[in-house]
Amino acid sequence: MASGRRVRDLIERSLGLADVRSKQSRMASPTSRALWLPDRCASGPREAFIDGHEFCHLHALPEGSIHLTLPNPLRDQIVDLGWAEPHPVVRAGVMPKTLVLVYAPRDHAELEIAFHLVWSSCQFARGVR
């Protein structure tokens, strides 16, 4: 089960990334927080974004899961390690295969991994490999 404290910490740390902005996601429930980059920073490929310049959204508790984009081979590695799974809309062919569902962090170690994945998604959206 997701830890409320860890999910709140993840949101706070993610909002501390340079140039990252937050708004309500158009692609998720109204309680989700979309992370996006302004035009001048969003230099990544089209498949680095979920909607507009949104690269990630964080679902509110009790779920606490994360939808974000990741480049290969990182995407395949975290799926193989069991940290994430392809988003259901990817399986339906609606979104690029870079979109994954990452499980909510339950403890400090998982918080660190989840934050690294959000950071990696942000770097992908910036066009940094």
Side-chain angles (χ1 to χ4, degrees):
M1 173 175 252
S3 162
R5 178 174 162 212
R6 300 303 179 207
V7 171
R8 286 188 297 275
D9 289 349
L10 178 61
I11 292 169
E12 184 178 317
R13 287 180 67 183
S14 298
L15 292 173
L17 292 169
D19 301 308
V20 169
R21 308 288 191 268
S22 176
K23 64 180 177 181
Q24 182 178 334
S25 176
R26 294 183 333 136
M27 305 299 282
S29 69
T31 58
S32 297
R33 298 191 66 164
L35 302 182
W36 61 279
L37 292 171
D39 290 347
R40 65 182 168 73
C41 301
S43 301
R46 169 65 197 109
E47 62 269 14
F49 300 99
I50 299 169
D51 177 54
H53 291 160
E54 177 183 335
F55 61 90
C56 171
H57 54 253
L58 306 153
H59 291 269
L61 289 169
E63 187 179 351
S65 65
I66 309 150
H67 294 162
L68 51 76
T69 60
L70 291 170
N72 278 326
L74 179 57
R75 177 208 173 269
D76 291 340
Q77 289 171 344
I78 68 157
V79 169
D80 290 346
L81 289 170
W83 284 102
E85 61 185 68
H87 192 287
V89 297
V90 170
R91 290 186 218 122
V94 177
M95 294 290 287
K97 64 185 263 184
T98 54
L99 181 62
V100 295
L101 179 151
V102 175
Y103 307 114
R106 297 170 294 184
D107 57 33
H108 182 73
E110 291 181 3
L111 168 64
E112 292 301 316
I113 291 167
F115 178 70
H116 178 75
L117 294 173
V118 171
W119 176 85
S120 296
S121 181
C122 184
Q123 294 296 92
F124 185 34
R126 290 178 191 281
V128 177
R129 289 283 180 165

